[in-house]
Amino acid sequence: MTSPVEHAGHRTIGTIACVAPNEFTVLLDTDAPASTALNAGYPAPFPRINGYVLVPNEVGSIICLIAWLGIENAPYPKRLGMKDFGLVDLPYPVRKMKVLPVATLRRLDIDEAQWEVERGVRLFPTVGDAVLLPSREELRHIVEGRGADARIRIGVAPLAGAAKVSVDPDKVFGRHLAVLGNTGSGKSCTVAGLIRWALEAAAAERQRNGQAKVPLARFIVLDPNGEYSRAFATQEPPLKARVFKVDPGEGERQLQVPLWFWNSAEWIAFTKASAKTQKPTLIEALRLVRDQQAEPVPSANHEMRRFLRTMVATIRAEKNSGSPWGTFPKPKAFFEKIQKWKGGIEPELAGLAGNEAERAKALADCIEALCVPRRQQYAHFDFTRPEVDNLLDAASKAHSAFGGADSDLVPVDADVPRPFTPDSLLRSVEATAEMMNVSEHVETLLIRLRSLLADSQMKSIIADCPGLTLENWLTEYVGGSDPDEGCLTVIDLSLVPSEIVNVVTAVTARMVFEALQRYRKVNEHTLPTVLVMEEAHTFVKRYKDDFEDQDSATVCCQVFERIAREGRKFGLGLVLSSQRPSELSPTVLAQCNTFLLHRIVNDRDQELVQRLVPDNLGGLLSELPTLPTRHAILLGWATPVPVLVEIRDLPKGQRPDSEDPRFWTAWCADQAHQLTWTPVVAAWQHVQAVQHTEDRDPDPPATATS
Ligand SMILES: Nc1ncnc2c1ncn2[C@@H]1O[C@H](COP(=O)(O)OP(=O)(O)OP(=O)(O)O)[C@@H](O)[C@H]1O
Ligand SMILES: [Mg+2]
């Protein structure tokens, strides 16, 4: 029997010739294997780019990845055996390789084959140290992981004796994952597989523990191409998916993201409200329309109370912004507003009955406060603070005289998701504009709002949601406690009109995030959930930092930036899949701690990916342009050592609906040439499919002129 040291001796393939902190140069022995190594105890491909070698030291070994291989003419070849000083040494071709130190394989027990992989390198080697091929057990320890790290098997490592590659869900989802690669490189299959294998592994673990099969897992897939429903077309939990889409088919549900979910930033981005007048009007209108829930039954004086409440809110807002004593024409606009309010209160005062003395007095005081005397000629409109405070006081007193509670005057957050109808929003915008004396400036805003609410396809998503409550929505989209509902939500965005697709995505992602944030606050524990964003370069697109003009793509990206920054604390993990990493938001990418890199050919994308990984791993990524489909480099938090993985094969029925097009098969199909656009047009134009060919009069009557 050979001792471990003797055994290691057999596996020596060269010596260290040069040491830098990020790279070692290795001089290969003349008898080191040239294509397949047999001295490792099994046939291992050696030397290969991205293969592993070990540099033994006191604590175990440094794990290195081969980054470069070559032959160089050395002046003094390394000759084995006795040196013959009578010979002249001629330049001799020696094989060299450059290797990247990536981690340490620490030996736990000198006699037993027990190791532990540690990130980083504690002890650097010195020139002349031996370099070994890892044994099969060592490779297994490097690649396969132990315990939690072996929970979800995602594939095998072709350069590590086909050892299984597994990941720990806490690591891979807990700190966000980016799956990057060119079109057709296998990203969607990898993501669908990861979800499937994670759920299967959790179900198996539960069964082993004698628990019910369906795990308490939540995956929400935002699917812009409508490809994921096919990958989970089963009725069997846990892999059964709740599919939400526009024009749902059998077993699918209508996608609903009601307009009362949208917050003010989303409304502003969508309506492109101008910063000066439309934005404050819209925010105030949203505040008002959301506040109406506080008064479910319209009572007598309801109208007047609302009027006075809006007045108080507007005066407060104007006071905070300093308009009454600001630069011209701001004080003039404020003056005109109070003139208008006065005109609104006077008829109310005249109409009060004789026994309503208290109200009459309050209104009269209010009118008096509103009658701020101004010079007629060369009028200046600057207000003083006491004047404005007096106005505020009179309006607040009138509000309580009409039965309003002081708590009603505390402004409602314009973003609370309280239900309102599209019509009430329109009315609220009109009324607020009237109060703020900016009616003519909000015309374009109203036109845009009306056109949005008139579009039948948009209506089905954002407006026609009678009876939908926030609780129902969260139970359906994020998940409830019914195990038969499965663990997976697929939100198919493929038919969402392009005008609102960014807002719908932003609102959905934000609602999920805020729900989990609030869940943790109430329950004092998190609800681990994974949010998957496909085609992330469209929805998480880098933007120019321009606070004045934020379009819906920017608002959408900002939601994902927030999730990337804060999601971990609330149990929300992000999985991004993208073809164009260079177009993604740098903030989001910087927060992704694990990467699965498929083939990337484009220069700019490669450069960006290189910048994301630690310096010494840059060389490892040179293989990216040549990776075959289904192969990916796994690196980052979820794996102590970067691994080239051949992702597990997904059978056809479990793949997303994204087959490569088969031109030749279609061209040569053995079937009659049939092509009809009728159903396509009918679905597109939202009309019943009609047989135009039959309906059309075959012989139109000749016109009188012909
Ligand atoms: N793990 C896998 N198992 C089986 N087939 C795979 C796997 N990964 C990729 N493929 C094959 O590659 C094809 C393309 O994969 P996929 O749709 O995942 O690419 P993609 O990177 O998502 O492309 P795109 O960026 O255009 O969406 C699949 O249709 C499938 O045939
Ligand atoms: Mg895809």
Side-chain angles (χ1 to χ4, degrees), residues 182-190 227 534-535 579 629-630 647-650 655 658-660:
N182 285 146
T183 180
S185 57
K187 299 180 300 295
S188 305
C189 288
T190 300
E227 47 184 1
E534 260 283 341
E535 305 287 345
Q579 299 172 2
T629 304
R630 258 179 73 191
I647 305 284
R648 279 166 74 178
D649 185 42
L650 263 187
R655 290 181 209 157
S658 64
E659 289 294 305
D660 292 336

Side-chain angles (χ1 to χ4, degrees), residues 13 124 158 279 345 667:
I13 43 95
F124 282 93
K279 206 164 134 182
I345 297 175
W667 293 347

Side-chain angles (χ1 to χ4, degrees), residues 282-363:
L282 191 57
I283 295 178
E284 193 51 40
L286 283 168
R287 202 191 301 280
L288 266 183
V289 76
R290 290 191 154 128
D291 201 14
Q292 274 165 26
Q293 184 182 270
E295 287 192 66
V297 190
S299 53
N301 301 321
H302 169 76
E303 281 290 320
M304 195 59 202
R305 260 204 310 272
R306 253 183 61 189
F307 185 92
L308 291 163
R309 202 160 65 209
T310 319
M311 212 169 111
V312 173
T314 316
I315 299 171
R316 272 190 193 149
E318 296 269 343
K319 187 180 158 194
N320 287 344
S321 69
S323 311
W325 43 83
T327 48
F328 188 83
K330 282 180 190 159
K332 183 167 185 238
F334 184 66
F335 182 72
E336 283 165 4
K337 254 174 229 168
I338 63 175
Q339 292 296 315
K340 206 156 182 178
W341 295 337
K342 202 169 118 223
I345 297 175
E346 276 164 354
E348 183 71 23
L349 176 62
L352 282 180
N355 58 352
E356 294 184 293
E358 194 200 340
R359 284 184 187 157
K361 168 142 190 348
L363 284 191

Side-chain angles (χ1 to χ4, degrees), residues 191-378:
V191 173
L194 198 57
I195 298 174
R196 170 175 291 272
W197 302 321
L199 288 174
E200 282 173 354
E205 174 74 14
R206 289 177 67 93
Q207 278 185 322
R208 270 196 297 278
N209 296 342
Q211 294 164 311
K213 185 177 161 197
V214 183
L216 296 163
R218 269 157 303 278
F219 284 88
I220 302 168
V221 183
L222 293 163
D223 176 16
N225 296 327
E227 47 184 1
Y228 278 81
S229 53
R230 199 188 76 172
F232 299 97
T234 166
Q235 289 307 309
E236 273 296 299
L239 292 168
K240 176 186 166 190
R242 300 183 294 271
V243 180
F244 296 90
K245 67 188 288 193
V246 181
D247 294 338
E250 209 189 314
E252 296 168 334
R253 310 175 198 187
Q254 170 67 39
L255 172 65
Q256 292 184 318
V257 183
L259 45 77
W260 51 270
F261 279 13
W262 302 21
N263 69 17
S264 40
E266 284 144 6
W267 274 109
I268 289 163
F270 173 70
T271 55
K272 302 195 175 85
S274 67
K276 233 168 144 190
T277 42
Q278 294 182 343
K279 206 164 134 182
T281 313
L282 191 57
I283 295 178
E284 193 51 40
L286 283 168
R287 202 191 301 280
L288 266 183
V289 76
R290 290 191 154 128
D291 201 14
Q292 274 165 26
Q293 184 182 270
E295 287 192 66
V297 190
S299 53
N301 301 321
H302 169 76
E303 281 290 320
M304 195 59 202
R305 260 204 310 272
R306 253 183 61 189
F307 185 92
L308 291 163
R309 202 160 65 209
T310 319
M311 212 169 111
V312 173
T314 316
I315 299 171
R316 272 190 193 149
E318 296 269 343
K319 187 180 158 194
N320 287 344
S321 69
S323 311
W325 43 83
T327 48
F328 188 83
K330 282 180 190 159
K332 183 167 185 238
F334 184 66
F335 182 72
E336 283 165 4
K337 254 174 229 168
I338 63 175
Q339 292 296 315
K340 206 156 182 178
W341 295 337
K342 202 169 118 223
I345 297 175
E346 276 164 354
E348 183 71 23
L349 176 62
L352 282 180
N355 58 352
E356 294 184 293
E358 194 200 340
R359 284 184 187 157
K361 168 142 190 348
L363 284 191
D365 287 350
C366 207
I367 290 171
E368 198 189 317
L370 290 169
C371 289
V372 192
R374 286 290 174 261
R375 260 184 296 169
Q376 288 304 308
Q377 222 185 354
Y378 310 119

Side-chain angles (χ1 to χ4, degrees), residues 172 194 214 448 566:
V172 83
L194 198 57
V214 183
R448 194 152 165 74
E566 301 166 31

